[in-house]
Amino acid sequence: MPERVEFREYFKASIDLINASNVDYLIIGGIAVGVWGVPRVTEDLDLMIFISKKDVKVILKNAKDLSFEFDEKKVIEQAKLVGVFKIFYKHFHLDFLISSLEFEKNALKRKQKVKIFDREVFVPSKEDILLLKIIPGRSKDLLDAEGIVERHKGKLNLRYLETWAQWLSDKAQDMRIYNELQRLLDL
């Protein structure tokens, strides 16, 4: 059984890894939701990274040096096939999503710097994390999106949101993203 560590230690090690790898990133998932919406318990860190799939090896080399564990062959295969991979720090896992959409690259340009556990880190803007939570459509993500809308009602850039929601829906050939945004804005 892996040694137990506090979330704070795991978070710092994860940020140290991404900084050592010199990779552009955004924290997405529960941590980013806590910045912009209703904080909730999370047991992992989700990072959107802006690299080519072949550059995953740079992260893995630094991960080994910082005591992360993983099956290198499996990680590289997952990164190439689906653009997503996972590594482990003690009993926590660190999820990576390799950016592939123009929307995500735009979100990186709009990143916000915040301080969490004595580390300066980057999160998406409130509008971008809202859209990132709508995209998967899982009930947990939609609840996160509702919390962001409730907390920032009247302070969201509606034109930006509607433009990108339409673009994402067109790209997916499915109006669910745009329609879900409209539903949330009407709450």
Side-chain angles (χ1 to χ4, degrees):
M1 182 155 177
E3 173 192 352
R4 304 237 2 126
V5 296
E6 289 190 25
F7 187 85
R8 173 186 304 263
E9 178 185 332
Y10 151 75
F11 181 88
K12 288 179 176 183
S14 299
I15 297 305
D16 292 347
L17 166 61
I18 203 72
N19 288 336
S21 301
N22 199 27
V23 170
D24 285 329
Y25 72 94
L26 292 170
I27 294 176
I28 57 176
I31 298 291
V33 168
V35 171
W36 295 115
V38 177
R40 64 172 167 82
V41 173
T42 186
E43 295 183 4
D44 69 347
L45 183 59
D46 302 307
L47 295 175
M48 179 176 294
I49 55 175
F50 297 82
I51 62 170
S52 69
K53 292 178 180 179
K54 65 179 169 47
D55 291 333
V56 168
K57 289 181 181 180
V58 172
I59 294 172
L60 297 182
K61 181 203 173 302
N62 289 319
K64 279 183 187 170
D65 294 342
L66 293 170
S67 302
F68 283 83
E69 297 176 0
F70 50 89
D71 177 330
E72 186 168 354
K73 184 178 176 183
K74 182 178 177 182
V75 166
I76 291 170
E77 182 179 309
Q78 285 294 113
K80 285 181 183 176
L81 285 175
V82 293
V84 176
F85 63 96
K86 179 183 300 202
I87 63 175
F88 300 87
Y89 186 81
K90 312 297 185 207
H91 59 282
F92 291 106
H93 64 272
L94 175 57
D95 294 326
F96 292 90
L97 170 72
I98 300 172
S99 168
S100 62
L101 296 174
E102 193 60 38
F103 162 69
E104 295 162 344
K105 292 174 183 141
N106 189 69
L108 180 65
K109 291 177 191 172
R110 295 167 35 92
K111 68 187 176 195
Q112 304 290 304
K113 186 187 290 188
V114 297
K115 196 168 197 173
I116 302 173
F117 296 130
D118 302 324
R119 296 290 191 272
E120 289 189 338
V121 297
F122 297 107
V123 297
S125 70
K126 59 186 172 286
E127 290 86 5
D128 292 320
I129 192 64
L130 174 58
L131 290 169
L132 286 166
K133 297 311 275 177
I134 292 172
I135 292 168
R138 300 176 305 187
S139 58
K140 165 174 87 168
D141 294 314
L142 295 177
L143 281 173
D144 288 341
E146 283 181 24
I148 295 166
V149 170
E150 286 175 20
R151 185 168 168 194
H152 297 284
K153 196 85 164 171
K155 295 180 259 173
L156 294 166
N157 183 334
L158 299 180
R159 186 172 186 194
Y160 178 87
L161 284 167
E162 289 175 348
T163 298
W164 278 107
Q166 184 66 58
W167 184 89
L168 289 161
S169 290
D170 290 347
K171 189 90 170 150
Q173 297 181 347
D174 180 356
M175 289 303 293
R176 182 193 58 78
I177 295 167
Y178 183 84
N179 292 337
E180 187 61 37
L181 173 66
Q182 293 305 316
R183 182 191 72 78
L184 289 168
L185 295 176
D186 288 342
L187 291 177

